Amino acid sequence: MTMRSSSLVVVPAREGRAFPLSAGQRIQISDVEGGQVGDVFAFVRDNPTEYHSAAHTRAHVDRLFPTLGEQFVTDRRRPILTLAEDSSPGHHDLLIPACDPARYAALGVGDSHPSCAENLHAALVPLGVSVDVVPQPINVFMYVQVNTDGTLSWLPAPTRAGDAVVFEAALDCIVVVSACPQDVVGINGGRPTPLAVELFDTAG
Ligand SMILES: [Zn+2]
């Protein structure tokens, strides 16, 4: 399918941005320097009380972690995104909630540390949208391993510079991408870096 680029936005390290998408549009999220996790949220554009739900998606696809072609569904079990392309090593987490002020306070670095939860709310302000929830995100490039004893290992993102995923919108939606500010737990190698986002329309 021939695509044409419609915009390119750098999401600075530790910040978030929101992107309105129409059904059929694609959003590419690239790891600029490598080793960076992105928290991805998706809300139905004309009714943000409906949003991507990690729990409902796991039940929909019978998997713990996203794979190429995976359909992500809302809390009302409607497809909202599809993982259309993936040039990364393929590790994306669907178990861990967004980092938030309470998480950083518990880690001993205070509650004024930037977080994906606060990035979500701030990113929606320019669109005039506010939400009461912080849904569990799709954590692109985040490598969480489930061990045989049931424990989880939070591993550094194995992405290289330029690795990217592409999601296709199944509904008109708002996608929020947060370049995760986590620098206490080692998922970003202790050094948060930017992500690049590009939107594509189908040529026609
Ligand atoms: Zn985060």
Side-chain angles (χ1 to χ4, degrees), residues 37 39 97-100 104 114-117 119 139 178-182 187-188:
V37 168
D39 285 39
C99 61
D100 54 25
Y104 289 105
S115 68
C116 290
N119 286 348
N139 296 309
S178 171
C180 181
Q182 179 59 266
I187 57 169
N188 298 311

Side-chain angles (χ1 to χ4, degrees), residues 2-161:
T2 306
M3 312 291 273
R4 96 185 140 71
S5 171
S6 57
S7 66
L8 172 66
V9 173
V10 172
V11 180
R14 301 181 171 83
E15 295 187 20
R17 295 289 185 273
F19 304 90
L21 285 166
S22 300
Q25 268 193 311
R26 291 186 169 200
I27 180 169
Q28 175 175 282
I29 303 165
S30 306
D31 188 349
V32 176
E33 298 184 24
Q36 174 64 40
V37 168
D39 285 39
V40 177
F41 307 86
F43 298 85
V44 173
R45 201 162 70 189
D46 60 5
N47 179 13
T49 66
E50 180 178 1
Y51 48 83
H52 167 254
S53 164
H56 291 81
T57 292
R58 291 194 304 268
H60 182 67
V61 296
D62 297 324
R63 293 179 56 86
L64 286 181
F65 302 117
T67 189
L68 192 62
E70 175 143 332
Q71 198 170 55
F72 300 84
V73 301
T74 70
D75 58 325
R76 293 166 213 178
R77 301 186 192 269
R78 294 199 298 159
I80 186 168
L81 294 176
T82 302
L83 182 55
E85 296 176 32
D86 186 356
S87 66
S88 81
H91 296 292
H92 311 290
D93 168 67
L94 207 61
L95 296 178
I96 303 298
C99 61
D100 54 25
R103 171 72 165 149
Y104 289 105
L107 288 169
V109 294
D111 61 7
S112 60
H113 191 288
S115 68
C116 290
E118 293 187 307
N119 286 348
L120 166 63
H121 294 303
L124 289 171
V125 168
L127 300 181
V129 173
S130 69
V131 294
D132 295 330
V133 293
V134 178
Q136 188 193 319
I138 305 163
N139 296 309
V140 297
F141 312 135
M142 180 170 174
Y143 189 11
V144 170
Q145 203 169 60
V146 179
N147 304 310
T148 51
D149 64 356
T151 58
L152 301 177
S153 296
W154 300 43
L155 302 172
T159 32
R160 303 144 299 195

